[in-house]
């Protein structure tokens, strides 16, 4: 599983011009699911995102996690994160999980975050979405679950 996370002042996702998810201060998560991913990868990634200290404390240091500062999450499925652009001019999506499995793990990931007490908004799986955000910082990180890292080492 791969994620691009951005600390945001606000973020919104629209489908067909209608808002389907909107948050204030928190984290925008773009999530890509790959063939080798399992629930334990979603568990690991959700825990990492919940507890990653990327928000400033009163001293201006990145010392607070989203759970500590009462932030919100917007999780958007992002198939293209599984794209490999190493060869040729067209990305290969061979490592992407089939849609049924990707949807299941995406929903599982969202449920874990919600069950932890966080407010989580989402996009619509497999829809053409328009994502807008105000990146706070800017602060952006990429994360890869253990399965994703194992896969990369094998290839």
């Amino acid at each position: 599983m791969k994620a691009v996370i951005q600390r945001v002042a606000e973020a919104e996702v629209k489908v067909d011009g209608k808002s389907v998810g909107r948050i204030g201060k928190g984290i925008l998560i773009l999530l890509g699911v790959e063939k080798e991913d399992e629930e334990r990868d979603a568990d690991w990634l959700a825990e990492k995102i919940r507890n990653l200290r990327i928000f400033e404390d009163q001293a201006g240091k990145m010392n607070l996690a989203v759970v500590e500062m009462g932030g919100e999450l917007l999780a958007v499925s992002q198939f293209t994160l599984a794209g490999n652009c190493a060869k040729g001019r067209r990305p290969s999506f061979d490592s992407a999980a089939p849609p049924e499995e990707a949807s299941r793990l995406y929903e599982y990931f969202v449920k874990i975050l919600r069950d932890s007490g966080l407010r989580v908004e989402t996009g619509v799986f497999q829809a053409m979405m328009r994502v807008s955000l105000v990146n706070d910082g800017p602060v952006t990180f990429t994360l890869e679950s253990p399965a994703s890292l194992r896969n990369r080492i094998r290839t």
Side-chain angles (χ1 to χ4, degrees), residues 1-142:
M1 234 172 232
K2 294 179 179 179
V4 173
I5 63 169
Q6 296 179 299
R7 186 178 78 184
V8 297
E10 61 186 63
E12 180 177 26
V13 61
K14 292 181 178 182
V15 175
D16 296 327
K18 296 179 183 150
S19 181
V20 296
R22 181 183 192 123
I23 64 168
K25 191 169 181 74
I27 299 174
L28 169 65
I29 305 163
L30 304 175
L31 183 72
V33 181
E34 298 179 294
K35 287 178 182 172
E36 302 290 323
D37 292 336
E38 300 173 354
E39 288 182 0
R40 66 183 178 165
D41 295 290
D43 293 334
W44 182 90
L45 197 58
E47 182 69 15
K48 178 64 83 174
I49 291 169
R50 282 182 64 247
N51 293 298
L52 198 59
R53 299 184 319 173
I54 63 171
F55 292 91
E56 294 177 353
D57 62 15
Q58 295 203 359
K61 303 279 186 198
M62 278 193 203
N63 233 357
L64 299 175
V66 68
V67 295
E68 296 169 317
M69 50 76 67
E72 304 168 318
L73 302 174
L74 175 58
V76 177
S77 61
Q78 182 77 47
F79 167 76
T80 59
L81 284 177
N84 182 340
C85 298
K87 295 181 183 175
R89 295 183 180 178
R90 183 176 311 204
S92 167
F93 296 101
D94 290 342
S95 70
E100 310 78 40
E101 182 63 6
S103 177
R104 184 186 76 76
L105 286 173
Y106 168 73
E107 294 298 333
Y108 177 80
F109 173 79
V110 169
K111 181 182 181 325
I112 293 167
L113 291 170
R114 285 182 174 148
D115 288 350
S116 73
L118 289 166
R119 178 173 174 262
V120 183
E121 294 285 310
T122 65
V124 177
F125 190 83
Q126 282 191 302
M128 179 61 87
M129 295 176 273
R130 299 237 180 219
V131 180
S132 58
L133 67 126
V134 176
N135 193 317
D136 185 20
V139 174
T140 303
F141 297 97
T142 58

